[in-house]
Amino acid sequence: MIQLKSIREIELMAEGGKILAATVQMLRGEVRTGMSTQDLDAIAEKFIRGHAGATPAFKGLYGFPGTLCTSINQEIVHGIPSRKRVLKDGDIISIDVGVGYRGYFTDSATTVAVGEVDEETVRLLDTTERALAAGIAAAVPGNHLGDIGAAVQRVVEAAGFSVVRDLVGHGIGVAFHEEPQVPNYGKPKRGLKLVPGLTLAIEPMVNVGGPQTRTLADKWTIVTVDGSRSAHFEHTVAITQSGNRVLTAA
Ligand code: MG
Ligand code: MG
């Protein structure tokens, strides 16, 4: 069932989203060579809990142990923070984080270069961020879910990269994962019609190589089958009468 949100509910989500946006911006500035993903997780948890009423939404969600999902290089999503995973110059790290605030959830992700990265990696990050922007631009009333996916896919494939299909965006709000699913591929004018009050996590996951994924033995970390690098950017977006509102924008 799709739960449309009232203006009051969207306001509450925007308040939580503001805390989440600050968290993501702070974490982007903290990433450096030699730190572990556990270090980053501890910083994130402390920062979120420092805001009255805010909680790290991932902690305990489906049994996940961290505040962040930290996914390095060929890891697409759901990497578990660990003292043993230390960032090296030339790596990329995808940081996915959710916040609970006064009964509502927001979700955001970013990918950060650690030190100097190669040209192709720079292009991967830029393309994924532009794909998210294109998806958000298509998330307006009267359009359909397929318009969002098609917009994301067009940007990614024009750059010669591939969109992950095994994982999708989602509705969000009262529950962390709500209906509908929001694929990062599709055809214009297909699928659910977008209406004001719909709140969506739009989250392209983009691979340098093929779109195929597999899950590691830890049962969480999802990686590219071909070992190519992957990036992930995400915002929580509310469809409004006049267009949309990005609830997790910095
Ligand atoms: Mg997320
Ligand atoms: Mg999400």
Side-chain angles (χ1 to χ4, degrees), residues 34-84:
M35 89 188 304
S36 74
T37 53
Q38 178 58 50
D39 294 335
L40 207 55
D41 192 80
I43 293 166
E45 181 171 4
K46 191 168 174 222
F47 185 88
I48 293 168
R49 292 195 193 279
H51 293 78
T55 52
F58 290 0
K59 204 132 200 173
L61 185 66
Y62 313 120
F64 189 78
T67 288
L68 306 177
C69 292
T70 50
S71 308
I72 300 171
N73 297 339
Q74 79 287 353
E75 296 169 356
I76 303 167
V77 286
H78 303 166
I80 303 170
S82 163
R83 206 156 277 121
K84 292 177 195 152

Side-chain angles (χ1 to χ4, degrees), residues 58 95-98 107-109 170 176-177 201 203 232 234:
F58 290 0
I95 301 167
D96 192 352
V97 52
D107 190 9
S108 186
H170 50 94
F176 197 84
H177 292 116
E203 49 177 317
H232 182 206
E234 175 179 29

